[in-house]
């Protein structure tokens, strides 16, 4: 499975132009909007999105911005990017 790293750091070298553009995709999981189904589809196609993305877990350990620190009671992949101290979606095309 591909790591959830941006194309320029992962060395994505697919000859297909459309696949190259997919290498930078990152899914933002929105609660109750079929997110798990999209994560599972991404996994089948070599992407680690949402609950499968290590960068989100690492960013969570580094903490959230004030005043969100200690207030978020949801899974880390549901946290809006602007609340992380280190945005796990930087360098990605999010959808």
């Amino acid at each position: 499975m591909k790591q959830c790293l941006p194309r320029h750091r992962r060395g994505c070298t697919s000859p297909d132009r459309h696949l190259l553009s997919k290498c930078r995709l990152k899914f933002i999981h929105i609660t109750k909007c079929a997110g798990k189904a999209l994560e599972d589809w991404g996994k089948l196609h070599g992407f680690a999105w949402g609950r499968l993305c290590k960068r989100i877990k690492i960013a969570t350990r580094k903490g959230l911005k004030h005043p969100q620190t200690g207030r978020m009671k949801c899974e880390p992949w549901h946290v809006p990017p602007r609340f992380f101290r280190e945005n796990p979606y930087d360098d990605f095309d999010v959808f």
Side-chain angles (χ1 to χ4, degrees), residues 7 16 23 36 51 71:
R7 178 179 68 219
D16 183 337
C23 292
K36 185 177 179 306
R51 72 189 191 285
R71 294 181 182 214

Side-chain angles (χ1 to χ4, degrees), residues 54-73:
K54 291 178 185 175
R55 279 184 69 161
I56 293 173
K57 295 172 187 173
I58 291 167
T60 302
R61 284 194 296 265
K62 291 182 179 182
L64 300 175
K65 293 178 182 175
H66 181 75
Q68 274 65 39
T69 305
R71 294 181 182 214
M72 290 293 179
K73 304 297 181 198

Side-chain angles (χ1 to χ4, degrees), residues 8-70:
H8 67 277
R9 292 210 242 132
R10 186 177 56 233
C12 184
T13 57
S14 169
D16 183 337
R17 253 184 44 198
H18 298 291
L19 290 177
L20 275 175
S21 65
K22 282 193 337 186
C23 292
R24 289 184 47 99
L25 287 179
K26 182 58 62 192
F27 170 66
I28 296 180
H29 189 130
I30 300 171
T31 308
K32 304 298 178 201
C33 293
K36 185 177 179 306
L38 288 169
E39 290 171 357
D40 292 343
W41 181 92
K43 182 179 178 181
L44 287 174
H45 292 88
F47 294 98
W49 293 334
R51 72 189 191 285
L52 306 171
C53 182
K54 291 178 185 175
R55 279 184 69 161
I56 293 173
K57 295 172 187 173
I58 291 167
T60 302
R61 284 194 296 265
K62 291 182 179 182
L64 300 175
K65 293 178 182 175
H66 181 75
Q68 274 65 39
T69 305

